[in-house]
């Protein structure tokens, strides 16, 4: 099925069940293992999520901001200005700037209330059982960018534009296998 996806793939976003204890434990163990054994040399654009229930927008910003080799952002757009303004900030500072950016907030809210949505957006502050993250390719490495993580991006190892989608698909399959009974809350977009 992956062969039906046009290439090159710029990024992959994943929605997964955030209330699954086995999945949460698996992801925590991945981060602990990386922190103990691996120092990353690349630096993807990464920010912490400081706005509740904005993980989809954060994942979109992670995806867009790390794909400048494949497309250009519209000059003067809110996202282009945000990325430029925070390019040299740390993850926490970027998250705070994102939370305070009125143009980003307005765009986020416009998307939530759009008549083109296929589903209704939950009310702000709702308890949600799903979470978004993004997978990007930076300097030949696959990174998982999850703004809810208080650590750094998770480096999943080498890849290329030609193998990026299949490499990420394998990572997602391993994550699904951690809690195979919890299959109703998954979605992937490339």
């Amino acid at each position: 099925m992956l062969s039906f996806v046009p290439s090159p793939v710029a990024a992959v976003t994943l929605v997964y069940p955030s209330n699954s204890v086995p999945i949460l434990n698996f992801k925590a163990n991945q981060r602990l293992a990386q922190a103990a054994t691996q120092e990353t040399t690349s630096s993807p654009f990464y920010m912490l999520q400081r706005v509740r229930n904005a993980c989809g927008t954060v994942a979109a910003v992670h995806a867009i901001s790390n794909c400048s080799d494949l497309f250009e952002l519209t000059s003067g757009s809110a996202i282009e200005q945000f990325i430029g303004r925070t390019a040299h900030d740390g993850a926490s500072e970027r998250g705070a700037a994102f939370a305070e950016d009125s143009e980003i907030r307005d765009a986020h809210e416009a998307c939530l209330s759009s008549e083109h949505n296929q589903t209704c957006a939950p009310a702000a502050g709702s308890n949600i059982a799903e979470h978004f993250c993004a997978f990007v390719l930076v300097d030949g490495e696959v990174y998982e960018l999850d703004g809810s993580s208080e650590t750094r991006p998770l480096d999943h190892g080498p890849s290329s534009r030609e193998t990026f989608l299949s490499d990420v698909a394998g990572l997602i399959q391993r994550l699904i296998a951690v809690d195979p009974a919890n299959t109703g809350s998954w979605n992937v977009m490339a």
Side-chain angles (χ1 to χ4, degrees):
M1 297 301 282
L2 297 180
S3 63
F4 290 110
V5 178
S7 62
V9 171
V12 174
T13 57
L14 169 67
V15 179
Y16 65 92
S18 60
N19 59 353
S20 166
V21 173
I23 290 171
L24 294 175
N25 288 339
F26 178 77
K27 290 173 81 57
N29 287 335
Q30 282 183 312
R31 291 190 186 286
L32 286 172
Q34 182 179 63
T37 62
Q38 184 178 14
E39 188 62 37
T40 60
T41 57
S42 298
S43 56
F45 185 97
Y46 176 69
M47 67 181 191
L48 296 179
Q49 180 182 334
R50 297 293 184 227
V51 178
R52 187 175 166 121
N53 294 346
C55 57
T57 302
V58 171
V61 170
H62 281 145
I64 292 166
S65 61
N66 286 288
C67 298
S68 61
D69 60 322
L70 295 176
F71 58 86
E72 289 184 32
L73 295 173
T74 302
S75 181
S77 65
I79 188 71
E80 189 257 355
Q81 289 180 21
F82 173 76
I83 293 168
R85 206 172 41 252
T86 61
H88 300 290
D89 293 347
S92 185
E93 292 82 11
R94 285 180 182 147
F98 177 85
E100 298 297 322
D101 192 305
S102 61
E103 286 189 70
I104 296 283
R105 183 176 46 253
D106 291 348
H108 169 77
E109 290 173 3
C111 289
L112 290 177
S113 62
S114 172
E115 64 189 39
H116 301 292
N117 290 341
Q118 292 180 348
T119 60
C120 294
S126 298
N127 287 328
I128 298 176
E130 292 82 25
H131 183 67
F132 282 83
C133 66
F135 293 88
V136 298
L137 181 65
V138 175
D139 296 333
E141 299 285 319
V142 175
Y143 286 93
E144 181 179 342
L145 307 177
D146 183 340
S148 70
S149 169
E150 292 297 324
T151 61
R152 62 181 184 222
L154 185 56
D155 183 346
H156 286 289
S159 186
S160 66
R161 279 284 165 227
E162 294 75 32
T163 64
F164 174 64
L165 182 59
S166 62
D167 293 338
V168 171
L171 294 169
I172 293 170
Q173 287 173 333
R174 283 196 295 277
L175 188 58
I176 291 171
V178 170
D179 190 1
N182 197 346
T183 59
S185 300
W186 297 85
N187 199 331
V188 178
M189 182 174 65

